[in-house]
């Protein structure tokens, strides 16, 4: 059983991941699971036994990789701005935004393991990222946020609908919104403008293809 504390979660992540470069953002380093540390392959029962929610933070999702690439290549989008990375997972997009010169980034994820993962990953890349486990969807996006980033958030219908409505609210309040998505079933293209398209290497252990065409979108 994983010790239920930040220190316990950090220790688990250090033992069960390797520091590696996500293929589409080779300038970053993240603690990720792979074939040597295959925590992906644990069944739901095995995960529950050790007290681990599905470890989304142990993989750089295609949507996040594309969005991180876009932010690194277009630093003007976040430079000097207060940014929220919604559904941050490993913190990949949040870290890319700090590397690109954001004034601050708040990484939000309802999985407390992300606090440990994002902390370790931010340290590995020499940046500071704030974290909240609060469900930001319970209220309108904080008015202080100038940029809302969201990587790979449309894999389940209720979440996709709730996040898209929240992002539209943020856009109406003046925030710039960027979304990375590899064509997930519940991603609504209507009303969005495509900024970039990439071929993102991923893993067949989690995805249907080894390379996924993935786009970055904005709300006009
Ligand atoms: C597919 S992962 C994407 C992670 C990261 N953005 C990336 O692209 O690598 C989705 C993440 O959404 C998080 N999530 C689900 N519901 C959420 C919510 N209401 N608020 C914040 N995060 C949420 C999950 O815990 C998970 O870490």
């Amino acid at each position: 059983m994983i010790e239920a504390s930040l220190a316990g979660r950090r220790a688990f992540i250090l033992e069960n991941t390797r520091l590696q470069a996500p293929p589409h953002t080779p300038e970053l380093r993240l603690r990720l699971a792979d074939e040597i540390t295959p925590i992906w392959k644990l069944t739901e029962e095995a995960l529950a036994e050790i007290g681990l929610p599905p470890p989304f933070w142990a993989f750089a999702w295609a949507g996040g990789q594309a969005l991180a690439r876009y932010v690194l290549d277009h630093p003007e989008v976040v430079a000097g701005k207060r940014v929220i990375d919604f559904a941050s997972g490993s913190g990949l997009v949040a870290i890319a935004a700090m590397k690109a010169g954001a004034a601050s980034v708040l990484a939000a994820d309802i999985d407390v393991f992300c606090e440990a993962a994002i902390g370790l990953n931010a340290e590995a890349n020499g940046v500071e990222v704030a974290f909240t486990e609060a469900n930001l969807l319970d209220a309108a996006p904080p008015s202080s946020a100038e940029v809302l980033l969201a990587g790979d958030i449309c894999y389940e219908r209720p979440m996709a609908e709730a996040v898209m409505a929240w992002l539209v609210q943020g856009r109406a309040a003046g925030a710039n919104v960027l979304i990375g998505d590899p064509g997930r079933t519940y991603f609504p293209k209507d009303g969005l403008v495509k900024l970039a398209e990439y071929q993102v290497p991923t893993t067949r252990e989690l995805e249907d293809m080894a390379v996924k065409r993935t786009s970055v979108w904005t709300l006009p």
Side-chain angles (χ1 to χ4, degrees):
M1 195 72 182
I2 302 166
E3 193 194 309
S5 64
L6 180 58
R9 292 188 282 270
R10 279 174 71 105
F12 175 82
I13 292 170
L14 287 169
E15 266 169 43
N16 290 281
T17 59
R18 283 191 314 130
L19 198 59
Q20 50 198 293
H24 206 58
T25 55
E27 59 270 72
L28 303 183
R29 293 285 176 278
L30 299 176
R31 295 214 149 261
L32 302 175
D34 56 21
E35 61 286 351
I36 298 162
T37 54
I39 47 178
W40 295 120
K41 290 188 179 152
L42 296 179
T43 59
E44 265 181 45
E45 292 75 40
L47 290 172
E49 253 173 45
I50 58 170
L52 181 66
F56 285 100
W57 49 265
F59 184 64
W61 295 86
Q65 288 199 63
L67 185 51
R69 180 76 270 146
Y70 186 84
V71 165
L72 288 166
D73 291 346
H74 302 85
E76 67 281 1
V77 170
V78 294
K81 305 254 169 65
R82 292 182 299 272
V83 176
I84 291 179
D85 174 28
F86 180 83
S88 195
S90 65
L92 163 68
V93 175
I95 290 166
M98 283 308 289
K99 284 276 183 200
S104 65
V105 180
L106 175 64
D109 202 295
I110 51 173
D111 179 358
V112 285
F113 277 80
C114 294
E115 178 180 22
I118 293 168
L120 288 165
N121 289 332
E123 276 166 42
N125 291 278
V127 296
E128 278 186 22
V129 171
F131 176 80
T132 180
E133 65 177 280
N135 189 348
L136 298 188
L137 300 181
D138 288 342
S143 55
S144 55
E146 297 170 283
V147 184
L148 301 173
L149 303 175
D152 230 312
I153 31 89
C154 289
Y155 54 97
E156 283 172 357
R157 188 196 294 274
M159 178 177 175
E161 288 176 358
V163 183
M164 291 310 300
W166 186 81
L167 292 172
V168 166
Q169 246 185 319
R171 179 71 196 118
N176 194 10
V177 172
L178 273 77
I179 304 161
D181 183 82
R184 299 280 182 225
T185 310
Y186 304 110
F187 180 69
K189 292 192 191 91
D190 294 350
L192 294 164
V193 172
K194 191 188 281 193
L195 297 175
E197 186 175 291
Y198 304 103
Q199 297 294 331
V200 178
T202 174
T203 168
R204 286 301 298 266
E205 284 181 34
L206 291 167
E207 303 280 14
D208 52 353
M209 281 177 282
V211 174
K212 281 193 90 79
R213 187 171 63 174
T214 306
S215 301
V216 173
W217 302 82
T218 190
L219 281 168

